[in-house]
Amino acid sequence: MLGSLPSLKKKNLGAPLQSRKAMLETLFRHLDMVRLSVGAILMVTLVSCTGLIDGGSDGLTPEQRAAATKWKNNALPVLRTNCIGCHDGSRANVDFLTGAKDLEIHDRLMSYTPAVVNLEAPGSSRLLTKGLHDGPEFKTEDLSTILQWIQAERAAQASDPATAPTALVIPPFAIQLCTVPPGDPTPCPVNHASLEALPDIGPTFPGAEISFSAFALDTAIYVTNLKLNGGTAGVNIEHPLFVSRPAMGDPIPDKIDRYFDVKMNEKAGGLDPISGGAASFEGFLKDNLVEIHFKVVQAFKPDTTPPPTGGCKALPLFKSNVAPLLIAANPQSCVSCHTGGGNGRGALDMTGVAATDDPTLLAACNQVRTRVDLINPATSALYNAPNPGSATNHPFKFTAAIFTSFKTSVDAWIQAEKTAP
């Protein structure tokens, strides 16, 4: 059987993408043959002598070869068992596992938009953080298998000058914290993360920045008024990733990669919230520096309209469980500030939450959903802001009893949103 294996020609590391695909396809065929062989252990030993697995004569870097092997033998079987039934194209907008061949499925998954694999922070990949939904939740060992494959993909990409990513990172900076008590009119300090600090390309975006106010919680940093400023020339960004940098130890990326599908095209002088403008970053401690990574930072595109992100799928439960509580006076209503000329409308616009027609109510639901963390609902901004036990500088707080009732009712809607296809 060994004599039937075709030989692989040596290619340089800068080989065109199509050539590398051909190399990987050939490697996958060899892996299939090795796995199906009765004498598999002996075959691996013999094939390794030819350089197909670890000898380096296939034109791939060792890291690329390792990633291909982990995909074929480890990650793909887990995805076939748990995921491919729903994500093979049978459902619209979640078809990230389509393909007739193993490599086609791989390439589709790696290039899917919005990204479900994040090489910047493998552990934050949506493939890992989705949790229980219409499909099953990964077992612990499956999570480990997928994580190890993504980490191998990251190493593979970095190992080849032809595919190594260009770093788009605002360098680490210290954050100023808001320390005034809730309801205090004293303004909170505003943090300014300048896109001009991006290596090489920063000067292209004069005045462009991400700004926010921050509060220290026990095990998290709660951010409000998170906005993108287009500066004097405008800017287009995709997939910002916040990363905490402890003085010692490894960096801590946003655990749920919450802005994985964010695309913003901000005109010159424009200032808009990023995905609702508030978030709780678990594991970010107050004394740690913060840096911001991006998938894309480029010039403003006048003809580009940012696609909508998120969107309510469980409108009936929002209508029955959430809207009435936002309207009710306890002792004042949420809509009194978050609609019309209210001061809170800029942070969260609830206009339409009292509407009786579904299209108008859906628009309000979409806005409120941006303040919900589907992965860790308890950390949602919708809860943190009015929670009497939180340190957020929100002008209104429920009583403890009313907050418990509010959270119980809203939890049912959030769970429905989380499991909706």
Side-chain angles (χ1 to χ4, degrees):
M1 185 174 178
L2 178 61
S4 67
L5 295 179
S7 61
L8 293 175
K9 296 180 179 179
K10 179 73 175 180
K11 296 189 181 289
N12 61 54
L13 296 184
L17 179 60
Q18 192 60 40
S19 298
R20 289 197 297 275
K21 284 187 176 181
M23 297 174 199
L24 287 170
E25 286 176 342
T26 305
L27 177 60
F28 282 179
R29 286 198 296 272
H30 291 317
L31 290 170
D32 277 338
M33 297 172 75
V34 169
R35 188 169 60 247
L36 294 174
S37 169
V38 175
I41 297 177
L42 175 61
M43 179 59 89
V44 168
T45 303
L46 292 174
V47 170
S48 68
C49 293
T50 71
L52 296 179
I53 300 300
D54 62 3
S57 65
D58 53 11
L60 300 172
T61 67
E63 293 82 2
Q64 289 171 329
R65 197 176 304 113
T69 303
K70 286 182 182 292
W71 165 255
K72 181 79 174 183
N73 293 344
N74 305 109
L76 184 56
V78 170
L79 297 175
R80 287 194 185 280
T81 299
N82 294 279
C83 311
I84 206 164
C86 292
H87 298 284
D88 61 353
S90 57
R91 296 191 179 191
N93 302 319
V94 291
D95 54 341
F96 53 79
L97 292 176
T98 58
K101 298 180 180 180
D102 296 347
L103 186 57
E104 290 175 0
I105 298 173
H106 169 276
D107 290 350
R108 173 69 171 175
L109 178 60
M110 295 299 293
S111 63
Y112 192 77
T113 300
V116 292
V117 171
N118 183 4
L119 298 185
E120 282 283 335
S124 297
S125 298
R126 298 294 288 185
L127 196 61
L128 296 171
T129 62
K130 179 65 175 177
L132 181 65
H133 53 296
D134 246 15
E137 188 171 13
F138 281 138
K139 298 176 182 177
T140 301
E141 57 268 28
D142 293 337
L143 284 170
S144 177
T145 295
I146 298 298
L147 176 58
Q148 289 178 37
W149 162 66
I150 297 175
Q151 290 171 332
E153 289 285 350
R154 179 183 182 180
Q157 186 184 78
S159 71
D160 188 345
T163 60
T166 301
L168 295 173
V169 184
I170 295 177
F173 58 93
I175 55 175
Q176 302 179 71
L177 295 170
C178 187
T179 58
V180 299
D184 192 306
T186 305
C188 287
V190 178
N191 294 275
H192 300 274
S194 174
L195 271 70
E196 292 185 76
L198 291 168
D200 301 325
I201 64 172
T204 309
F205 310 105
E209 66 175 21
I210 288 177
S211 60
F212 58 90
S213 296
F215 300 82
L217 305 181
D218 289 341
T219 59
I221 293 296
Y222 179 70
V223 167
T224 62
N225 296 317
L226 178 65
K227 298 179 180 181
L228 174 64
N229 187 327
T232 59
V235 67
N236 184 292
I237 68 168
E238 293 183 22
H239 194 166
L241 173 70
F242 283 67
V243 177
S244 180
R245 282 280 186 178
M248 299 181 65
D250 295 331
I252 304 168
D254 176 14
K255 294 180 180 179
I256 59 172
D257 196 13
R258 74 197 66 221
Y259 302 127
F260 76 105
D261 60 351
V262 165
K263 296 182 180 181
M264 294 185 69
N265 190 48
E266 198 66 45
K267 64 183 179 181
L271 182 65
D272 285 293
I274 298 176
S275 192
S280 180
F281 292 96
E282 286 296 321
F284 283 37
L285 302 182
K286 62 181 182 179
D287 295 326
N288 294 354
L289 301 180
V290 170
E291 64 187 22
I292 307 176
H293 298 233
F294 301 88
K295 180 180 179 181
V296 172
V297 179
Q298 58 189 0
F300 172 72
K301 298 180 178 180
D303 297 326
T304 299
T305 301
T309 59
C312 284
K313 299 176 181 177
L315 186 62
L317 267 177
F318 178 82
K319 187 174 185 178
S320 63
N321 283 40
V322 184
L325 300 180
L326 301 178
I327 298 168
N330 291 304
Q332 68 184 76
S333 68
C334 299
V335 298
S336 63
C337 280
H338 290 281
T339 62
N343 294 332
R345 186 178 177 186
L348 175 59
D349 188 352
M350 295 186 183
T351 300
V353 76
T356 55
D357 63 292
D358 284 356
T360 303
L361 186 62
L362 178 61
C365 184
N366 289 341
Q367 287 291 318
V368 175
R369 192 178 182 277
T370 65
R371 306 299 290 276
V372 169
D373 183 341
L374 296 184
I375 304 300
N376 297 299
T379 67
S380 297
L382 189 62
Y383 291 150
N384 280 329
N387 184 353
S390 76
T392 59
N393 187 31
H394 192 261
F396 166 72
K397 301 284 186 179
F398 287 123
T399 64
I402 292 176
F403 175 74
T404 299
S405 177
F406 171 81
K407 185 176 183 300
T408 299
S409 187
V410 176
D411 273 344
W413 166 64
I414 293 177
Q415 186 59 33
E417 289 286 344
K418 183 176 179 177
T419 58

